[in-house]
Amino acid sequence: MFNVSMDQFISLTALIFLVLIRKSISSSSPSSLPSSSSSTSSTSTSTSSLITSSLSSSTLSSDISGSKYKALIGGKIELPCNVSTSTNNDAVTTIFWYKGDTQGSPIYTVDARNSSTNLDSANRFTSEYLKGRVSFNISVQFAFLIISPVREEDNGAYRCRVDFRWSRTVNTLVYLEVIVPAKKVIIADETNQIVESLGSYGEGTSLKLKCLAYGGKPAPLVYWYLNQDLIDDSYISKVTEDGLVTINDLFISKLGRNDLNKLLSCKTFNTNLTQAINKSLILDINLYPFYVKIISIRRPLSADKSIELQCDSKGSRPGAKMTWYLNQQLLKSWRETNSVINGSTSSSSILKFVPSPADNGALLTCKAENSRLLNSSIKDDWILNIYYKPNVKLVLRLSSHPSEINENDEIIFECIIDSNPVIQEIGWLFNESPLLPDERRGIIIDNTTLVIKVAQKNHSGDYSCFAVNIEGKGFSNKATIKVNQTRKLQVRC
């Protein structure tokens, strides 16, 4: 039984509470991965040990000696040291921190021998070992040596020695365990080749993989997850020429379309202080395309006008290779895009196309295929309807003397028209002015035919025709005639 006063009991209780808070802050938060009930038990045991250690100490100044702390490599740790004085007229003169061998040189020193009672103004000295990653908070009764970032070699025992002007020297001994995650994690296939993606697996095939975690202190757990579901928690640890290796072998008998785009993850962790190390792969299974369609509105297209036509495909993994053909001839001017929506892969190809009148009635084809799978090509066809303004040609026909025109000859012009859609208007021009039927002058117009019954000298000049549809107006070539009284007239077309 302890013989302590009420004031000492209150001070001791407050001190224990402070130490527990500091220790809680210095620990990392638990991992979100599955853990057994032993985690809670371990925490309770640690807390109980600390309280027992505090109560069993012979004096208040050494109540934290023997405490154990854990820190993640690369993280931060606060190691406590009691710098409180037992009397109001006493003061700290020097503080020395040692690591491991207590006979060695200190790793951190506070020298207040030539300063006032305020330790903040004391001289401080840091060894090369801690340079650039240490600080010492001495503003409270329990000062804390703060190390950040923590290194693997920081593991071990630490002693804080405090010298006073009048009181005896106080030593505080604490232990630090540095948690080291696995150095690296890889996923390999059954031939031990490192796997970065699963693009080489086809629908319906089996999958064999292994996850290897190298190093770690303590040895890590190695689990396989499919999305958020744990699918394999069996692993073994063994020592190889590369050091400690922990291995989990995974076997999936048959990959299906429903597995597409699922996240296959190997997760490794050691203790609840360690954040899990993930190595993940998307199940990039090779799948056949099951849909392809030219989705652009199948309307007539205008000749000589650029248009973009879109073809979509679904189901292929990786995205389908899209190609366009016109009458089975490969076209070249297109661009492709791939996207994943709700786990389904979609591919789109946009063809930049400038149709010509000659393409009217041609067969336009869009094909989609998975280049990694045989016999995967599917297609969609479209018979094109190309609108173009009329192509017009004027032909001169003479009833006699085909090489010359004489007075009183009959002259016949034929306006030959190629048009899609149908023409809306046909017209004739004489010397670029509209030419209308005139029976008195013997000029007869019947749609695409112009007849001059009796040629006269004033009929000499330039003749042409034109046709109009919804795409525009097309003009013919000019035919120039000259009527000569000598009936020796030349013809130029």
Side-chain angles (χ1 to χ4, degrees):
M1 296 294 292
F2 291 98
N3 185 16
V4 294
S5 67
M6 180 60 69
D7 291 341
Q8 289 176 321
F9 177 78
I10 295 173
S11 298
L12 180 59
T13 303
L15 182 58
I16 293 172
F17 181 75
L18 176 62
V19 172
L20 290 177
I21 292 177
R22 285 289 186 176
K23 188 166 184 180
S24 174
I25 293 174
S26 68
S27 300
S28 300
S29 60
S31 168
S32 60
L33 294 169
S35 59
S36 66
S37 60
S38 61
S39 298
T40 304
S41 174
S42 175
T43 302
S44 300
T45 302
S46 176
T47 304
S48 175
S49 299
L50 179 60
I51 295 174
T52 302
S53 173
S54 300
L55 292 176
S56 63
S57 302
S58 60
T59 64
L60 185 63
S61 59
S62 60
D63 63 344
I64 57 175
S65 288
S67 298
K68 295 181 179 180
Y69 297 85
K70 293 182 179 181
L72 293 176
I73 189 171
K76 182 177 77 171
I77 188 65
E78 297 180 359
L79 300 177
C81 177
N82 190 353
V83 297
S84 61
T85 58
S86 58
T87 61
N88 293 333
N89 62 345
D90 204 355
V92 173
T93 58
T94 55
I95 302 173
F96 301 98
W97 276 96
Y98 299 89
K99 181 180 183 297
D101 185 3
T102 57
Q103 302 302 317
S105 300
I107 59 175
Y108 192 85
T109 302
V110 179
D111 187 352
R113 288 174 294 182
N114 296 324
S115 62
S116 64
T117 58
N118 185 2
L119 287 177
D120 289 334
S121 61
N123 294 322
R124 303 188 184 206
F125 305 94
T126 304
S127 67
E128 288 295 325
Y129 174 74
L130 286 179
K131 184 168 290 186
R133 59 190 189 96
V134 67
S135 61
F136 193 42
N137 181 3
I138 54 179
S139 61
V140 293
Q141 175 185 357
F142 273 82
F144 289 89
L145 184 73
I146 303 171
I147 302 175
S148 178
V150 174
R151 297 176 181 170
E152 185 173 359
E153 58 266 28
D154 295 334
N155 191 86
Y158 289 80
R159 181 171 66 92
C160 176
R161 168 185 162 182
V162 182
D163 296 328
F164 301 91
R165 289 181 180 177
W166 311 113
S167 302
R168 64 181 178 85
T169 295
V170 173
N171 287 282
T172 303
L173 184 64
V174 294
Y175 299 90
L176 172 62
E177 179 184 356
V178 178
I179 303 299
V180 182
K183 294 180 180 179
K184 66 175 180 178
V185 177
I186 66 171
I187 295 175
D189 60 19
E190 52 190 326
T191 65
N192 293 322
Q193 297 297 312
I194 295 177
V195 176
E196 298 294 343
S197 67
L198 297 177
S200 60
Y201 291 88
E203 184 178 1
T205 61
S206 62
L207 175 62
K208 293 181 179 180
L209 295 174
K210 61 178 66 176
C211 182
L212 301 94
Y214 291 86
K217 180 184 177 182
L221 310 178
V222 179
Y223 291 165
W224 280 102
Y225 287 80
L226 190 59
N227 283 351
Q228 302 301 320
D229 299 325
L230 177 65
I231 59 174
D232 193 333
D233 59 357
S234 61
Y235 59 90
I236 59 172
S237 295
K238 59 184 180 180
V239 178
T240 69
E241 59 183 10
D242 296 320
L244 179 68
V245 181
T246 305
I247 305 172
N248 186 327
D249 291 307
L250 174 70
F251 176 71
I252 299 177
S253 60
K254 186 177 181 180
L255 295 171
R257 184 175 288 270
N258 290 336
D259 294 320
L260 173 64
N261 211 36
K262 286 187 177 179
L263 188 67
L264 185 63
S265 302
C266 172
K267 298 186 179 183
T268 69
F269 59 102
N270 49 359
T271 82
N272 286 339
L273 293 177
T274 306
Q275 295 296 325
I277 301 176
N278 295 349
K279 191 71 175 180
S280 299
L281 299 171
I282 298 294
L283 283 176
D284 192 7
I285 307 169
N286 294 337
L287 300 175
Y288 289 91
F290 58 76
Y291 169 89
V292 64
K293 188 173 183 61
I294 301 173
I295 65 169
S296 299
I297 298 175
R298 302 199 179 194
R299 58 177 178 80
L301 307 179
S302 297
D304 304 320
K305 293 182 180 180
S306 179
I307 189 172
E308 289 189 341
L309 303 176
Q310 182 171 340
C311 181
D312 287 352
S313 175
K314 298 178 182 179
S316 179
R317 189 71 177 183
K321 177 184 177 182
M322 313 285 287
T323 50
W324 292 83
Y325 297 84
L326 186 63
N327 285 340
Q328 300 183 355
Q329 296 297 313
L330 180 66
L331 300 176
K332 295 182 179 180
S333 298
W334 73 81
R335 66 181 185 273
E336 291 184 17
T337 60
N338 292 305
S339 61
V340 178
I341 302 175
N342 296 328
S344 177
T345 303
S346 298
S347 300
S348 294
S349 179
I350 299 177
L351 173 69
K352 188 174 183 180
F353 183 50
V354 182
S356 69
D359 297 328
N360 187 39
L363 182 66
L364 181 67
T365 301
C366 173
K367 288 185 178 181
E369 63 179 331
N370 187 331
S371 59
R372 299 182 183 180
L373 298 174
L374 296 175
N375 303 317
S376 64
S377 177
I378 56 176
K379 67 176 184 175
D380 186 33
D381 294 327
W382 179 11
I383 297 177
L384 298 177
N385 184 11
I386 308 300
Y387 280 5
Y388 49 91
K389 69 180 181 180
N391 294 317
V392 185
K393 181 180 179 181
L394 182 62
V395 177
L396 173 63
R397 307 185 188 279
L398 300 175
S399 59
S400 60
H401 310 290
S403 62
E404 59 183 21
I405 300 176
N406 300 316
E407 285 184 329
N408 299 319
D409 282 348
E410 183 181 61
I411 305 171
I412 301 174
F413 291 98
E414 290 289 343
C415 190
I416 300 174
I417 302 171
D418 174 24
S419 174
N420 186 37
V422 296
I423 57 175
Q424 299 170 325
E425 178 185 354
I426 299 174
W428 291 87
L429 299 176
F430 175 58
N431 290 333
E432 300 186 356
S433 296
L435 179 62
L436 301 175
D438 189 344
E439 294 185 3
R440 182 178 59 81
R441 297 175 57 201
I443 298 175
I444 301 172
I445 297 176
D446 183 13
N447 287 331
T448 60
T449 303
L450 168 63
V451 179
I452 301 177
K453 298 296 292 182
V454 180
Q456 300 296 322
K457 188 174 182 179
N458 61 359
H459 291 147
S460 298
D462 296 330
Y463 290 82
S464 62
C465 62
F466 64 86
V468 179
N469 65 11
I470 60 175
E471 291 293 313
K473 179 185 288 188
F475 292 88
S476 72
N477 56 300
K478 291 181 180 179
T480 302
I481 66 171
K482 185 176 181 181
V483 181
N484 196 316
Q485 291 179 343
T486 63
R487 305 179 67 83
K488 300 291 184 180
L489 303 179
Q490 301 298 318
V491 177
R492 292 188 294 108
C493 289

